[in-house]
Amino acid sequence: MHQIAVLASGFGSNAEKLMDYFQNHPQIRVAVVVSNNAAAHVLSKAKERGIPVEVLPGPAWEKREKVLAVFDSYHVSVIVLAGYMRLLPPYFVDTYRNRIINIHPALLPAFGGKGMYGMHVHRAVVESGAKKSGITIHLVNEQYDEGEILFSKYLEVLPEDTPESLAKRVQDLEHRYYAPVVEKYILSSLHT
Ligand code: GRF
């Protein structure tokens, strides 16, 4: 069994899709949902489904042994980020090298990097006049949004699009593709 830890800081609509997609999966399951934010809505979504949760606030991540012990206690082999708002420490990226997946709500390498999250991304896309946006699913390394790209899907930015209308269509793509792409990557590239 591949045991996933989903890391999320906020609402958790993508985390919810992941939890549901893998609910009865024969080879993959969401073993734990981890947040840096004790008030994150995603934690109640996990609890509703009987999935364990852990809260690791920013400073807790400095304690390498303790953090890794938390993940080990769930036999975690894959980390899936779903709106996780903090940069992971280098020791963590190193421990889970090629086993940390993120989704970005635009077509990387454009509109990525520090500060490019949520509506900031969609506002920048609309203001730039870009004709396309979409989603990028990628591996995580020590830099924001720079790891190997596993999958991307584009959509047309319409002349009448606002950041809000674009965000909605991008989110639909995220909800449709994130879990199946994670599944495919795990089953084709990772050993338990
Ligand atoms: C998503 O747009 C994802 O691309 C980004 O953070 C957002 C999380 O939204 N990394 P939600 O909390 O899953 O609704």
Side-chain angles (χ1 to χ4, degrees):
M1 202 52 134
H2 298 269
Q3 311 276 5
I4 296 179
V6 173
L7 270 58
S9 299
F11 189 69
S13 69
N14 282 284
E16 193 171 21
K17 294 284 171 194
L18 290 159
M19 291 188 264
D20 289 345
Y21 189 85
F22 292 116
Q23 202 163 27
N24 294 312
H25 198 285
Q27 288 148 290
I28 302 171
R29 67 185 200 114
V30 177
V32 60
V33 171
V34 179
S35 186
N36 58 309
N37 172 10
H41 189 49
V42 67
L43 297 176
S44 34
K45 291 185 177 173
K47 287 180 198 158
E48 275 167 19
R49 290 166 173 79
I51 295 178
V53 302
E54 294 282 346
V55 177
L56 291 175
W61 285 85
E62 287 162 25
K63 301 202 169 86
R64 177 196 163 112
E65 301 310 324
K66 277 195 179 165
V67 168
L68 295 180
V70 169
F71 287 85
D72 280 350
S73 70
Y74 295 96
H75 306 287
V76 168
S77 54
V78 185
I79 313 291
V80 180
L81 308 185
Y84 186 69
M85 300 302 291
R86 295 184 61 95
L87 195 60
L88 295 168
Y91 73 78
F92 193 80
V93 175
D94 201 39
T95 303
Y96 289 98
R97 179 85 48 202
N98 297 326
R99 291 170 173 270
I100 310 179
I101 306 168
N102 185 39
I103 187 163
H104 186 76
L107 297 174
L108 292 174
F111 305 108
K114 197 166 163 55
M116 275 294 175
Y117 61 88
M119 289 308 282
H120 297 288
V121 177
H122 305 300
R123 220 171 283 129
V125 170
V126 168
E127 279 169 13
S128 76
K131 297 275 183 288
K132 288 177 183 173
S133 191
I135 60 170
T136 309
I137 298 173
H138 63 97
L139 295 178
V140 171
N141 63 15
E142 286 79 357
Q143 271 72 47
Y144 276 106
D145 301 329
E146 285 185 15
E148 182 192 333
I149 293 175
L150 301 177
F151 175 89
S152 65
K153 189 87 188 166
Y154 78 86
L155 51 68
E156 310 281 346
V157 179
L158 306 173
E160 63 271 28
D161 259 327
T162 61
E164 290 73 19
S165 65
L166 180 60
K168 173 76 186 83
R169 294 208 313 288
V170 169
Q171 190 185 49
D172 289 345
L173 282 185
E174 294 188 322
H175 290 172
R176 191 149 125 221
Y177 288 104
Y178 200 16
V181 170
V182 166
E183 176 188 36
K184 185 164 175 245
Y185 177 70
I186 292 175
L187 297 182
S188 63
S189 307
L190 300 182
H191 313 283
T192 37

